[in-house]
Amino acid sequence: VAARLATIWGPAAVAEQPGGLLLQAGGVGLHVLDEAALLRRLPGMRLPAGAARRAPCVVALSLHTCRFAATVMRAMQVAGARVEEGETRRVLVPASHAGGVILELCG
C-alpha cells in the first residue's frame, strides 16, 4: 500500500503506528489503518458500505480548517454528527452524510 500511495503523492517517509502505517508525502499525512485502529481513532462511527473489500480503500478523510466554529454550526445540522472538544477539537460526520466516507473536521 505504501509503495502505491508513493506513486501518487511522491516519495514517502513511512512509520509504523498501532494498527497500520503513517506515510508523510507531498505535505500530506496518510494514515493506513486496519478496521480496529480506525474505529479507535473515530469512536462511534460506522464503517461506510463497501469498506469490507479486500483491497485498501478510503473510508475516512481528516480535514483541518481555520473556520472551525462555522464548520461546527453547519455540521451539527447533520444527523449523527458529533462535536468533540478538548485537546483535539473535531467534528465527526457519518459516512451516510459525507459522500460515503467518514469525515473528520479538525480545528
Side-chain angles (χ1 to χ4, degrees):
V1 172
R4 289 189 308 204
L5 290 172
T7 63
I8 297 168
W9 295 96
V14 180
E16 289 191 28
Q17 63 179 355
L21 303 170
L22 171 60
L23 289 79
Q24 295 286 342
V28 175
L30 302 165
H31 294 269
V32 179
L33 303 172
D34 63 24
E35 181 177 342
L38 176 76
L39 294 176
R40 278 193 306 274
R41 179 181 168 97
L42 306 173
M45 294 287 109
R46 293 185 178 176
L47 288 177
R53 299 181 303 198
R54 289 180 181 226
C57 59
V58 174
V59 296
L61 295 174
S62 179
L63 304 171
H64 296 261
T65 177
C66 58
R67 296 179 40 107
F68 187 73
T71 301
V72 168
M73 297 305 292
R74 293 186 66 95
M76 289 313 298
Q77 298 173 23
V78 173
R82 187 171 75 243
V83 175
E84 295 181 354
E85 294 283 348
E87 186 177 318
T88 303
R89 298 181 338 160
R90 67 182 182 172
V91 178
L92 298 176
V93 179
S96 58
H97 293 282
V101 298
I102 300 167
L103 186 58
E104 176 188 39
L105 301 159
C106 303

